[in-house]
Amino acid sequence: MPELPEVETLCRQLQEILPGGKVRRVDIVDPRLGTVPPLAGGRVVSVRRRGKYLRIEMEHGLTAELHLRMTGRLLWLEEKGPVPRYTRMVIAVGNGRLVLIDPRRFATFSVGPADSAPAPLENPLEQFPASRLRAIAGKRRLPVKSLLMDQRLIAGIGNIYACEILYGAAVDPRRPAGSLTAAEWRRVEKAAAVVLSRAVACRGTSISDWRDLFGKSGTNQHNLAVYARHGELCRRCGGTIERMTMGGRGTWFCPSCQH
Ligand SMILES: [Zn+2]
């Protein structure tokens, strides 16, 4: 599932290509995405990200909003030629085609007035202040890892980055969120900034099927300190990385230096 750094990677790549381009045609291959939106003939003004939504802003005040959900991905192709398997939508724009590929068909696409976006969530790529995190945590007893991954509270941190951020902060993922001190939340803030910005610089983490807009793997998988490293040595303290299951998800941490 694309997490925040992967969506940000797509956003930056789209921002390099789309603005100024005219939408020539929109083909909705999968009717679950809705009817053909009134985009043809208009020019793209900019591409932005709001949480894990990609927003293609058009002239005349329309915005197309796309969410990749579980298995959606975007691919930039030349004007002519076949499209890949599981193609759900093709937007012909400028001198190429933006293709939505989605084997499990959970991705969503909608077009509306520019100001129709939902209220932004906490956005850990732009600002993720410790004071705000502490306020969200309050006296909650749910594990801090589950809090970081709660998409109703914080946009776009999934399993990989939650494990990596808590390792960076030296905080045990099982700790009740409400038990972290102000100093520990500051460590989470710092670790999140490092982990997420490095992932964007590496164009995402290609553990399974993530590819960028041009079909290339990201390289951040080489930076992972704990994720999927159970049985290997902790680079910080030499302890052994362990795996456990939390909320149905594999969770990796170093019991020797994460408290
Ligand atoms: Zn360790």
Side-chain angles (χ1 to χ4, degrees), residues 167 226 233-241 253-258:
Y167 173 80
V226 283
L233 296 186
C234 169
R235 292 169 193 149
R236 183 164 54 203
C237 76
T240 303
I241 308 293
F253 70 116
C254 175
S256 311
C257 65
Q258 286 179 255

Side-chain angles (χ1 to χ4, degrees), residues 121-186:
L121 297 159
E122 296 299 321
N123 194 335
L125 264 177
E126 272 109 59
Q127 50 172 347
F128 204 43
S131 57
R132 185 77 193 109
L133 283 167
R134 200 176 179 204
I136 292 173
K139 296 195 188 319
R140 290 173 198 251
R141 300 212 38 85
L142 89 163
V144 59
K145 183 190 175 217
S146 305
L147 180 100
L148 291 181
M149 290 176 64
D150 189 331
Q151 304 294 310
R152 292 164 301 184
L153 302 172
I154 299 164
I157 296 182
N159 202 33
I160 297 174
Y161 298 118
C163 291
E164 294 296 312
I165 288 168
L166 290 171
Y167 173 80
V171 169
D172 188 316
R174 296 168 291 191
R175 286 269 301 280
S179 75
L180 270 68
T181 64
E184 286 171 328
W185 281 120
R186 281 196 295 276

Side-chain angles (χ1 to χ4, degrees), residues 16 27 29 34 58 97 139 149 164-165 210 228 230 252:
E16 291 290 313
D27 295 333
V29 182
M58 307 288 298
R97 292 174 296 168
K139 296 195 188 319
M149 290 176 64
E164 294 296 312
I165 288 168
W210 159 252
H230 48 285
W252 288 266

Side-chain angles (χ1 to χ4, degrees), residues 18-33:
L18 295 189
K22 187 184 263 189
V23 174
R24 291 176 281 114
R25 195 179 66 253
V26 180
D27 295 333
I28 302 282
V29 182
D30 182 357
R32 239 159 92 166
L33 289 169

Side-chain angles (χ1 to χ4, degrees), residues 7-128:
V7 179
E8 175 68 14
T9 297
L10 289 173
C11 183
R12 290 182 183 193
Q13 294 179 323
L14 289 168
Q15 177 65 17
E16 291 290 313
I17 289 179
L18 295 189
K22 187 184 263 189
V23 174
R24 291 176 281 114
R25 195 179 66 253
V26 180
D27 295 333
I28 302 282
V29 182
D30 182 357
R32 239 159 92 166
L33 289 169
T35 53
V36 176
L39 296 176
R43 281 186 194 281
V44 175
V45 175
S46 67
V47 183
R48 296 175 198 273
R49 180 184 58 75
R50 184 189 287 251
K52 283 171 71 175
Y53 286 90
L54 283 167
R55 293 168 56 79
I56 302 172
E57 298 174 350
M58 307 288 298
E59 59 185 358
H60 312 312
L62 276 184
T63 294
E65 193 168 71
L66 179 72
H67 197 300
L68 297 170
R69 307 289 170 189
M70 295 287 291
T71 56
R73 50 175 290 228
L74 291 174
L75 185 65
W76 180 253
L77 291 178
E78 293 181 343
E79 205 169 347
K80 298 225 183 309
V83 293
R85 199 175 172 200
Y86 304 125
T87 291
R88 305 298 180 199
M89 177 174 67
V90 180
I91 302 178
V93 51
N95 57 6
R97 292 174 296 168
L98 180 62
V99 180
L100 170 66
I101 302 158
D102 189 9
R104 293 182 63 185
R105 303 172 68 200
F106 290 121
T108 57
F109 181 72
S110 65
V111 175
D115 56 1
S116 64
L121 297 159
E122 296 299 321
N123 194 335
L125 264 177
E126 272 109 59
Q127 50 172 347
F128 204 43

Side-chain angles (χ1 to χ4, degrees), residues 1 145 149 158-159 227 243-252:
M1 184 187 312
K145 183 190 175 217
M149 290 176 64
N159 202 33
Y227 187 86
R243 180 192 190 277
M244 61 180 167
T245 304
M246 274 181 68
R249 305 295 300 273
T251 298
W252 288 266

